[in-house]
């Protein structure tokens, strides 16, 4: 089945630094990937839609200069949290759709803690 | 707008009890419907799906039927186990290229032995 690999699974960084999270589709090509943020005991909040070879589409209220998304190939999308602050601490999850009726496959998530 | 509403939790059950988690949706067109499960500290795993009216998705003893007349996709399991303790998300896809899943708020299930 379709597999999406996301790493790192956990990262702790100092306030003011940047952190990059990678999301790879291992056995299929994903022209579109999605980035979500999840707060404790809450649902997933869509942050942006990442399109291969073009600019990401951000949801309202998401700072595109803070959350940089790059989708340079059909199998890789990256989310960079720039100048991270403690309020950026959260669980970030990526997702990719294989197309047709295959549904959406999710990465295992990244727990970001900014200290 | 398009949305998913699922029952609020937490749902607390004893092992071998019957489980129902209600999910209703509002959507234009003909969406596909999904249930995902999230274990603590992990990403989401697809539990089951249905792509058209009257389809029944099933997996690991869980079932859900796509009911267009009631715009519902309730999740059921006849006999829950402690290992089923997790958060369950109902979601829909508008089946349009490049669009993300629309999630419900999630329902926490806790099963005790």
């Amino acid at each position: 089945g379709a597999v999406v690999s996301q790493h790192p699974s956990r990262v702790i960084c100092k306030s003011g630094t940047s952190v990059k999270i990678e999301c790879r589709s291992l056995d299929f090509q994903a022209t579109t990937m999605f980035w979500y943020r999840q707060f404790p005991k809450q649902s997933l909040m869509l942050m942006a839609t990442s399109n291969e070879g073009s600019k990401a589409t951000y949801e309202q209220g998401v700072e595109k200069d803070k959350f940089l998304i790059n989708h340079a190939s059909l199998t890789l999308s990256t989310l960079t949290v720039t100048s991270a602050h403690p309020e950026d601490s959260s669980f970030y999850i990526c997702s990719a759709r294989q197309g047709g009726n295959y549904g959406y496959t999710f990465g295992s998530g990244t727990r970001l803690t900014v200290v | 707008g398009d949305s998913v509403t699922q029952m609020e939790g937490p749902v607390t059950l004893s092992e071998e009890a019957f489980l129902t988690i209600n999910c209703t949706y509002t959507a234009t067109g003909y969406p596909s419907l999904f249930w995902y499960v999230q274990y603590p500290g992990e990403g989401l795993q697809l539990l089951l799906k249905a792509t058209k009216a009257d389809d029944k998705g099933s997996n690991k003893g869980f079932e859900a039927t796509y009911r267009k007349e009631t715009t519902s996709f309730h999740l059921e399991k006849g006999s829950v186990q402690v290992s089923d303790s997790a958060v369950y998300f109902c979601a829909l896809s508008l089946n349009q290229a490049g669009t993300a899943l629309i999630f419900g708020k999630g329902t926490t299930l806790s099963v005790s032995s």
Side-chain angles (χ1 to χ4, degrees):
Chain A
V3 177
V4 171
S5 173
Q6 181 177 346
H7 73 90
S9 58
R10 292 178 179 271
V11 58
I12 300 173
C13 71
K14 292 184 177 181
S15 188
T17 61
S18 296
V19 173
K20 179 183 286 188
I21 303 169
E22 291 190 350
C23 180
R24 292 180 184 274
S25 56
L26 297 186
D27 48 3
F28 66 99
Q29 294 183 332
T31 54
T32 304
M33 291 186 177
F34 307 95
W35 288 96
Y36 295 85
R37 181 174 181 176
Q38 186 179 32
F39 293 99
K41 300 187 186 301
Q42 294 189 26
S43 189
L44 284 75
M45 180 191 77
L46 179 66
M47 298 175 66
T49 300
S50 168
N51 300 297
E52 186 267 337
S54 64
K55 292 183 178 181
T57 303
Y58 290 82
E59 296 299 302
Q60 192 172 8
V62 177
E63 299 176 62
K64 61 181 181 181
D65 294 330
K66 181 167 191 60
F67 299 99
L68 299 179
I69 292 173
N70 183 280
H71 195 154
S73 77
L74 286 171
T75 60
L76 174 64
S77 177
T78 61
L79 167 66
T80 302
V81 183
T82 62
S83 186
H85 291 285
E87 57 265 31
D88 299 324
S89 299
S90 193
F91 194 58
Y92 294 88
I93 307 176
C94 69
S95 171
R97 186 178 187 189
Q98 191 174 357
N101 287 327
Y102 291 100
Y104 298 74
T105 304
F106 286 79
S108 55
T110 298
R111 172 72 60 193
L112 170 64
T113 303
V114 184
V115 298
Chain B
D2 306 304
S3 64
V4 174
T5 302
Q6 63 182 103
M7 63 187 287
E8 292 190 23
V11 174
T12 304
L13 295 173
S14 298
E15 205 165 23
E16 299 183 2
F18 184 85
L19 169 70
T20 300
I21 301 178
N22 290 336
C23 172
T24 57
Y25 68 90
T26 301
T28 54
Y30 302 95
S32 295
L33 301 173
F34 304 82
W35 277 100
Y36 283 85
V37 59
Q38 184 179 34
Y39 298 100
E42 298 184 12
L44 272 67
Q45 299 175 27
L46 177 65
L47 182 59
L48 53 84
K49 67 179 181 181
T51 58
K52 62 183 187 297
D54 299 326
D55 268 2
K56 176 187 283 188
S58 62
N59 185 26
K60 300 180 181 179
F62 291 89
E63 293 183 341
T65 302
Y66 188 144
R67 301 287 188 198
K68 192 168 179 62
E69 63 276 13
T70 54
T71 62
S72 65
F73 193 55
H74 304 321
L75 181 68
E76 297 182 336
K77 186 174 184 181
S79 176
V80 294
Q81 305 300 312
V82 173
S83 57
D84 293 327
S85 299
V87 181
Y88 293 81
F89 291 95
C90 184
L92 71 83
S93 167
L94 297 176
N95 295 318
Q96 298 168 2
T99 59
L101 284 172
I102 298 171
F103 284 94
K105 292 187 175 182
T107 302
T108 299
L109 171 64
S110 178
V111 181
S112 58
S113 58

